Amino acid sequence: MTAPVVAVVGGGQLARMMAPAATALGLHLRVLVESPTSSAAQVVVDAPVGAASDEAAIIRLAEGADALTFEHEHVPNALLDRLEAAGVAVHPDAAALVHAQDKIVMRTRLAALGIPVPAWAALASPADLARFLADHGGEAVVKTSRGGYDGKGVRVVRSADEAADWFAAAACGGAPLLVEEKVPFTRELAVLVARRPSGETRTWPVVESVQREGVCSEVVAPAPDLDPATRAEAVDVATRIARGLGVTGVLAVELFEVADAAGGPPRVLVNELAMRPHNSGHWTIDGAVTSQFEQHLRAVLDLPLGDTAPRSTWTVMANLLGSTLEDPTLALADVARLDPGAKVHLYGKEVRAGRKLGHVNVSGEDLADVRRRAVRAVALLHGAPSARREHDPADAPAGT
Amino acid sequence: MTAPVVAVVGGGQLARMMAPAATALGLHLRVLVESPTSSAAQVVVDAPVGAASDEAAIIRLAEGADALTFEHEHVPNALLDRLEAAGVAVHPDAAALVHAQDKIVMRTRLAALGIPVPAWAALASPADLARFLADHGGEAVVKTSRGGYDGKGVRVVRSADEAADWFAAAACGGAPLLVEEKVPFTRELAVLVARRPSGETRTWPVVESVQREGVCSEVVAPAPDLDPATRAEAVDVATRIARGLGVTGVLAVELFEVADAAGGPPRVLVNELAMRPHNSGHWTIDGAVTSQFEQHLRAVLDLPLGDTAPRSTWTVMANLLGSTLEDPTLALADVARLDPGAKVHLYGKEVRAGRKLGHVNVSGEDLADVRRRAVRAVALLHGAPSARREHDPADAPAGT
């Protein structure tokens, strides 16, 4: 059989969620998983075990594959350069991916492209930080330039001392630090854009992302009450980044929406980039004609991209972060009983406090209702008791 | 991990298409596949190899499973009885499944339930057939009572001689024969209903099924211009069958729509039953809130059923039957370029003339357009040349 082969580095839920799309399109998915019980290993047949830093494993993974891609950014850039030199179709390529791996490289390049970003500076020393704090109201956000995710490697500080431990780590060979102004944003938005090697680019509707403690909690698609000018700027920014950086596959651009000093429509500032399917796009599985997972596979194979139109007026995704249940599937019956239209997505991961274990998508015409339903479903999966009555009409009487 | 386990006998595309739903719900799918390269074996991790008649293999398959189900009807009924006696949760159970395995048993029971069926008779001899032909206008449909599918085991005859070979086979231990009137139907309809052990039942919208040479070619959801009374009768018939036969899981009821002699709304007659996800329900993957595959898994686990509402005004499914291409994936780019909204589903099966290799779902507001698009997409996957122009606007110019 001559089915196209897509190789993916990383066996987490992002690779797991590529499986249904690969199945539908008749593509062969091959995922390098960290362990045989990884989220993706449970649902992908061709799942060799190996670390993302294991060059030999990645070379084997890519053998005969039509494209090599990633479900996380932690693949050594030098390794990618060697793979590309060896003729492997790496998407996104090393030159693009470095901007999702290194925040200093990203900030520098975006500024060069004229993309709006928060005020920022690379930090060579605590004195640099002190100076920045003095210039920006005494409060700022220090970040490690490499390795952070889901709020890790990000710290709000009011003095250089509060980052002393990080400076020490950086001095001992850790990733350099940078500092950004603490943006007085009205809310966070995200734009998901797909681009393929031939150049075609498509974006999904701009969404609002609600964060709790640095981790995505809910996503509302589309962002409610979004000024058309702000929407246009968000889409333009994301598209210019995708093209300017030569990104292939799916690119998630996380944005701060900020009030315009002159009283015009809100503006946007780029917060972070991810070059892979992203939490802000999980709603697309049920809420858009083409999911981000299907689109990522199409893009890395340079297949013409799918329609990104929404299927419903509103879709809300709520993240399941941790659970008091041994296994969230124990609450499936309660969720199903309470909400026959809720679309549950569980990742098969071992329960740990605050860990991304799944999400629920709900679509409908009434945003407040959709939102409430999504949050409620996740609460049940988290272990909240259901308000189950003695006799449940959904359980029909005997003889039916 | 304590994820529910669903065991499935049969490794064809129907089991393959259960995988995405199992993945999303965090269920463990275990499929008994005929070969390691089966359609389902390509996408299901836990896929032991064995025949549907291999009792030992099925017992092993069912060990520790929360439910045992099937993607075809060819599991020996006696084996199912023994499994049930051993405490395995078989869904649908042997008592129900026999009505999908044996047309004489089915016709007899439906008549007893007062369900409208074509005129029919079991055939003990060619004389029985001659008598039936004389009573029904000289033309009738002879069927083998067990083993037929996709038009096989069905023959239109005008004399008893035309079934001589079948009578000979029946006399040598083959399945008994039956005959049915050749129904002057206006069109064929299908109703898909799901029922779970607790009794809850849900139906999807009634669809129109277009057959070519005994095999399903297209399905239109919902059936256009369906008289509300006809629709109500169809839904009532399907629901009464599900309850009357104690079916659990998904049940497909294929119907003939016939003109009413008295000039009232069209009536329906039951043609065939299938107790598993069915070709007439593939549109639900993209066109309904809950797909038949997700619903089947929920039903056999006795989870409350999902919402069966349609997601779009019209959804048309077109079957890919054979291909002149070595692999239909070779046409993915052409389909994608021509129709970014077409949802392609390929089964990973080796190409053979007339074989079910996949299907395409298209949804939209304009039925004629949706239908044309689905048929066109399938034509491309079948190997029809695309009308590709030299410069394709979907392939953006260099520098993008």
Side-chain angles (χ1 to χ4, degrees), chain B:
Chain B
M1 295 280 289
T2 54
V5 179
V6 177
V8 184
V9 177
Q13 67 266 22
L14 298 177
R16 177 189 178 101
M17 289 189 276
M18 292 183 202
T23 294
L25 294 177
L27 310 175
H28 181 104
L29 195 63
R30 181 186 302 156
V31 180
L32 185 67
V33 299
E34 297 79 2
S35 110
T37 55
S38 296
S39 180
Q42 299 168 28
V43 303
V44 176
V45 174
D46 189 356
V49 180
S53 53
D54 184 338
E55 183 156 356
I58 297 186
I59 287 170
R60 270 195 309 275
L61 185 80
E63 236 169 279
D66 294 276
L68 174 72
T69 189
F70 322 92
E71 65 123 31
H72 60 65
E73 286 90 9
H74 311 307
V75 182
N77 214 277
L79 165 51
L80 296 181
D81 287 331
R82 285 197 288 280
L83 286 165
E84 288 169 24
V88 177
V90 181
H91 294 295
D93 65 13
L97 192 61
V98 67
H99 300 87
Q101 296 170 316
D102 189 312
K103 290 179 168 55
I104 291 175
V105 171
M106 183 264 283
R107 286 276 177 244
T108 306
R109 183 102 177 90
L110 293 192
L113 285 171
I115 303 283
V117 295
W120 73 284
L123 295 175
S125 67
D128 288 345
L129 177 52
R131 193 165 23 252
F132 190 94
L133 282 164
D135 290 344
H136 291 90
E139 192 180 44
V141 184
V142 176
K143 295 184 176 180
T144 174
S145 59
R146 302 183 73 108
Y149 70 97
D150 286 350
K152 300 173 177 54
V154 176
R155 183 186 292 174
V156 178
V157 303
R158 288 193 182 75
S159 76
D161 290 345
E162 287 174 27
D165 53 338
W166 284 14
F167 275 110
C172 296
L177 305 178
L178 67 155
V179 63
E180 304 175 354
E181 61 167 318
K182 190 162 184 297
V183 176
F185 57 82
T186 45
R187 60 177 163 172
E188 298 187 68
L189 303 174
V191 187
L192 200 64
V193 51
R195 182 173 175 277
R196 62 177 176 115
S198 296
E200 182 191 7
T201 305
R202 286 188 189 245
T203 59
W204 282 265
V206 179
V207 304
E208 176 176 329
S209 169
V210 180
Q211 314 283 107
R212 295 195 208 287
E213 284 141 42
V215 183
C216 178
S217 167
E218 285 146 49
V219 170
V220 182
D225 305 315
L226 184 59
D227 189 292
T230 315
R231 179 191 309 126
E233 186 182 20
V235 170
D236 179 63
V237 158
T239 308
R240 280 165 52 210
I241 292 174
R243 294 184 176 143
L245 269 45
V247 179
T248 46
V250 164
L251 163 73
V253 179
E254 294 184 277
L255 301 165
F256 294 124
E257 186 189 51
V258 293
D260 178 52
R267 307 298 307 281
V268 297
L269 299 173
V270 174
N271 178 16
E272 294 193 6
L273 303 183
M275 294 179 194
R276 48 167 176 77
H278 186 257
N279 210 158
S280 65
H282 292 350
W283 69 276
T284 63
I285 301 171
D286 303 292
V289 173
T290 306
S291 79
Q292 62 169 343
F293 299 100
E294 176 183 341
Q295 196 78 299
H296 188 70
L297 296 174
R298 292 168 78 141
V300 301
L301 289 173
D302 205 11
L303 291 172
L305 301 178
D307 184 3
T308 54
R311 292 182 192 245
S312 305
T313 303
W314 298 104
T315 299
V316 171
M317 179 220 73
N319 259 350
L320 173 61
L321 303 167
S323 180
T324 60
L325 302 173
E326 181 185 312
D327 186 330
T329 57
L330 292 168
L332 276 180
D334 284 343
V335 175
R337 182 174 296 109
L338 202 60
D339 196 340
K343 307 310 298 182
V344 174
H345 297 269
L346 297 177
Y347 306 155
K349 292 161 67 174
E350 217 178 288
V351 172
R352 286 213 292 265
R355 193 182 202 189
K356 287 184 177 178
L357 302 177
H359 68 271
V360 176
N361 288 333
V362 179
S363 298
E365 298 298 311
D366 177 340
L367 176 56
D369 182 60
V370 162
R371 203 162 187 163
R372 186 183 54 80
R373 287 168 56 196
V375 169
R376 180 179 64 178
V378 156
L380 288 171
L381 294 166
H382 195 278
S386 71
R388 213 185 146 180
R389 293 150 289 178
E390 270 302 310
H391 169 68
D392 193 316
D395 294 329
T400 53

Side-chain angles (χ1 to χ4, degrees), chain A residues 8-262:
Chain A
V8 184
V9 176
Q13 66 267 22
L14 298 177
R16 176 191 179 99
M17 288 188 276
M18 291 184 203
T23 294
L25 293 177
L27 309 175
H28 181 103
L29 196 62
R30 179 187 302 156
V31 180
L32 185 67
V33 298
E34 298 78 3
S35 110
T37 55
S38 296
S39 180
Q42 299 167 29
V43 304
V44 177
V45 174
D46 189 357
V49 180
S53 53
D54 185 337
E55 181 156 357
I58 296 187
I59 287 171
R60 269 196 310 275
L61 185 80
E63 235 168 278
D66 295 275
L68 174 72
T69 189
F70 322 91
E71 63 123 33
H72 60 66
E73 286 89 9
H74 312 306
V75 182
N77 214 276
L79 165 51
L80 296 181
D81 286 330
R82 284 197 289 281
L83 286 165
E84 287 168 26
V88 176
V90 181
H91 293 295
D93 65 14
L97 193 61
V98 66
H99 301 86
Q101 297 171 315
D102 190 312
K103 292 178 165 58
I104 291 175
V105 171
M106 182 263 285
R107 287 276 178 245
T108 306
R109 182 104 178 90
L110 293 193
L113 285 172
I115 303 283
V117 294
W120 74 284
L123 296 174
S125 67
D128 288 346
L129 178 51
R131 192 166 22 253
F132 189 95
L133 282 164
D135 291 344
H136 290 92
E139 191 180 43
V141 184
V142 176
K143 295 184 176 180
T144 174
S145 58
R146 302 183 74 106
Y149 69 98
D150 286 349
K152 299 174 180 51
V154 176
R155 183 187 293 173
V156 179
V157 304
R158 289 191 179 76
S159 75
D161 290 345
E162 289 175 25
D165 53 337
W166 283 16
F167 275 111
C172 295
L177 306 177
L178 67 155
V179 62
E180 302 175 354
E181 61 166 315
K182 192 164 182 293
V183 177
F185 57 82
T186 45
R187 60 177 165 173
E188 298 187 70
L189 304 173
V191 186
L192 201 64
V193 51
R195 181 173 176 277
R196 63 176 174 117
S198 297
E200 183 190 8
T201 305
R202 286 188 190 245
T203 59
W204 282 266
V206 179
V207 303
E208 177 176 328
S209 169
V210 180
Q211 315 282 107
R212 295 195 208 288
E213 284 140 41
V215 184
C216 178
S217 167
E218 286 146 48
V219 170
V220 182
D225 306 313
L226 184 59
D227 190 292
T230 314
R231 180 190 309 125
E233 184 182 20
V235 170
D236 179 64
V237 157
T239 308
R240 281 166 51 210
I241 292 174
R243 292 184 178 143
L245 270 44
V247 180
T248 46
V250 165
L251 162 73
V253 180
E254 294 184 277
L255 302 165
F256 294 124
E257 186 188 52
V258 292
D260 177 54

